[in-house]
């Protein structure tokens, strides 16, 4: 990946994510890189760096339509290393264009979203699932809260962000709850000694409400015709 790298460390949120460009599979592809720096705990469904733990960066990489690699975690690690993203991080993929994401902030909560919904539907479907590797995600949400959350509140925040995503889809006139491969990465601050951990992040809690509004606006912006 060829790019001008942003500063090596920052504690700013995902609104500072930088757009990178590379040529791969005969195509000009983009990626968004948030160099979060130390001090962040993240929860993610991503194939690289998923789960809960301290993470230093988040990469949302566009790949070619018809992506066929069966090792997306290794591919993302290669892309991250290519732009100097060292240490633990989160890597997401999408076949959607990431060059014009939706961005929103609300009272300190931040969200940046990329979206492509050519393949969409409702989560509860009569069709059988599959054990095959999923294709790259198409609605990718990266969000952050500037406070420390308990593990339970981090899980609660994922649910809140997902509800806000579905609300934005319905508000935009789309009869669906998302795509089969949507992904999320949500960050909160690593607690320092003496910090109070917020135990709730539901949509009516202080930080959950701010998160929901930020995600709702960012998803709506990402879905809007450009």
């Amino acid at each position: 990946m060829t790019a001008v790298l942003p500063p090596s460390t920052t504690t700013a949120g995902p609104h500072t994510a930088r757009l990178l460009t590379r040529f791969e599979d005969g195509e000009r592809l983009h990626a968004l890189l948030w160099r979060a720096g130390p001090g962040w705990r993240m929860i993610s469904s991503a194939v690289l760096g998923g789960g809960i733990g301290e993470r230093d960066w988040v990469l949302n990489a566009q790949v070619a339509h018809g992506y066929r690699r069966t090792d997306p975690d290794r591919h993302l690690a290669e892309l991250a290393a290519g732009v100097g993203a060292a240490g633990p991080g989160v890597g997401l993929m999408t076949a959607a264009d990431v060059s014009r994401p939706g961005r929103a902030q609300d009272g300190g909560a931040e969200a940046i979203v990329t979206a492509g919904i050519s393949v969409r539907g409702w989560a509860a479907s009569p069709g059988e699932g599959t054990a095959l590797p999923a294709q790259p995600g198409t609605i990718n949400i990266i969000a952050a809260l500037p406070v420390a959350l308990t593990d339970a509140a981090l899980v609660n925040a994922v649910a809140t962000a997902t509800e806000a995503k579905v609300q934005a889809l319905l508000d935009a006139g789309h009869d669906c709850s998302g795509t089969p491969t949507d992904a999320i990465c949500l960050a909160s601050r690593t607690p320092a000694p003496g910090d109070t951990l917020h135990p709730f992040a539901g949509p009516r809690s202080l930080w959950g409400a701010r998160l929901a509004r930020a995600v709702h606006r960012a998803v709506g912006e990402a879905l809007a015709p450009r």
Side-chain angles (χ1 to χ4, degrees):
M1 186 183 293
T2 302
V4 176
L5 296 181
S8 59
T9 60
T10 178
T11 57
H15 71 280
T16 62
R18 301 295 183 89
L19 183 66
L20 311 175
T21 302
R22 74 186 190 282
F23 290 89
E24 185 177 274
D25 296 331
E27 295 188 35
R28 186 172 185 264
L29 301 170
H30 298 99
L32 291 167
L33 176 64
W34 173 31
R35 300 179 74 92
W40 291 96
R41 294 178 71 240
M42 301 185 189
I43 181 170
S44 180
S45 62
V47 294
L48 177 66
I52 299 178
E54 295 197 29
R55 307 286 188 265
D56 296 338
W57 51 266
V58 182
L59 180 70
N60 184 13
Q62 179 188 5
V63 295
H65 289 278
Y67 184 78
R68 290 292 180 265
R69 285 187 62 161
T70 58
D71 59 345
D73 53 342
R74 180 178 297 180
H75 188 189
L76 284 163
E78 292 168 354
L79 295 178
V83 295
V90 172
L92 306 97
M93 277 187 175
T94 179
D97 184 6
V98 304
S99 65
R100 301 177 70 179
R103 302 175 190 256
Q105 301 182 56
D106 191 295
E110 300 181 22
I112 181 169
V113 175
T114 61
I117 56 170
S118 59
V119 179
R120 59 184 182 270
W122 292 100
S125 167
E128 289 294 329
T130 174
L132 296 174
Q135 293 299 303
T138 46
I139 300 179
N140 285 348
I141 297 171
I142 301 169
L145 296 174
V147 293
L149 302 179
T150 63
D151 284 356
L154 278 172
V155 175
N156 202 179
V158 170
T160 296
T162 302
E163 290 179 21
K165 175 197 72 176
V166 176
Q167 183 181 347
L169 284 163
L170 297 178
D171 287 348
H174 299 293
D175 189 20
C176 65
S177 58
T179 84
T181 53
D182 293 349
I184 189 168
C185 177
L186 196 143
S188 69
R189 301 301 303 190
T190 301
D195 280 356
T196 299
L197 275 68
H198 290 258
F200 307 112
R204 295 286 72 83
S205 69
L206 174 64
W207 286 105
R210 294 173 178 178
L211 171 67
R213 289 190 293 266
V215 170
H216 179 264
R217 288 201 296 269
V219 172
E221 183 178 322
L223 292 170
R226 306 295 180 96

